[in-house]
Amino acid sequence: MSKRILVLDDNQDILEVVNEVLSYENFEVHTTSTSQNILEVAHEYHPDLVILDYLLQDGNGGDICKQLKADEKLSNIPVIIFSAYINRDVDYPAFGCEAVIPKPFDLDELVNKVNDLTKQN
């Protein structure tokens, strides 16, 4: 059974690339461009990993990560945060994420990180 990946990013091009690359790697991918009801989506989809964009038009990936980690049923799911703001003064580990990948991201780095984190799960 393939591992399930939930991806939240408000950039449709990034969603398409991530979906294509991870689907090619035999992951089942669910993408969304809105943070509205993201916890409900996660409860229904049962992902093995969540990928969140840090800066969203309708939210903040760091805050969403905290919400996921605070939820009893979702807290063990590894989270990767994508961010174009790596050099800014943001304490990403404080959100509870297992990894941060800078944008623009390297596809091999993404696949390797997803594989590493889903093997642990």
Side-chain angles (χ1 to χ4, degrees):
M1 185 168 162
S2 15
K3 299 283 185 161
R4 297 170 148 225
I5 313 296
L6 173 61
V7 184
L8 167 60
D9 198 306
D10 53 12
N11 182 318
Q12 195 62 40
D13 292 335
I14 290 176
L15 286 178
E16 289 174 15
V17 168
V18 171
N19 184 31
E20 186 173 330
V21 168
L22 294 179
S23 294
Y24 180 79
E25 295 290 328
N26 296 314
F27 290 101
E28 185 179 321
V29 182
H30 177 84
T31 60
T32 182
S33 60
T34 178
S35 63
Q36 186 177 17
N37 303 323
I38 193 66
L39 293 180
E40 292 171 25
V41 171
H43 278 284
E44 291 172 14
Y45 185 63
H46 304 289
D48 295 291
L49 178 99
V50 176
I51 300 174
L52 302 169
D53 184 21
Y54 176 67
L55 193 58
L56 299 159
Q57 290 179 4
D58 66 346
N60 176 293
D63 293 337
I64 294 167
C65 182
K66 283 183 180 180
Q67 292 171 22
L68 289 166
K69 295 301 184 176
D71 187 298
E72 188 177 304
K73 293 181 180 174
L74 305 173
S75 64
N76 291 330
I77 299 170
V79 176
I80 296 173
I81 293 180
F82 280 153
S83 181
Y85 304 97
I86 295 298
N87 296 328
R88 299 219 177 136
D89 192 21
V90 178
D91 184 9
Y92 293 98
F95 300 127
C97 62
E98 280 69 22
V100 179
I101 296 179
K103 283 183 177 180
F105 54 89
D106 178 78
L107 294 176
D108 289 332
E109 178 185 6
L110 172 65
V111 169
N112 290 336
K113 188 58 70 179
V114 169
N115 278 319
D116 288 347
L117 290 173
T118 56
K119 284 178 186 167
Q120 299 171 13
N121 202 7

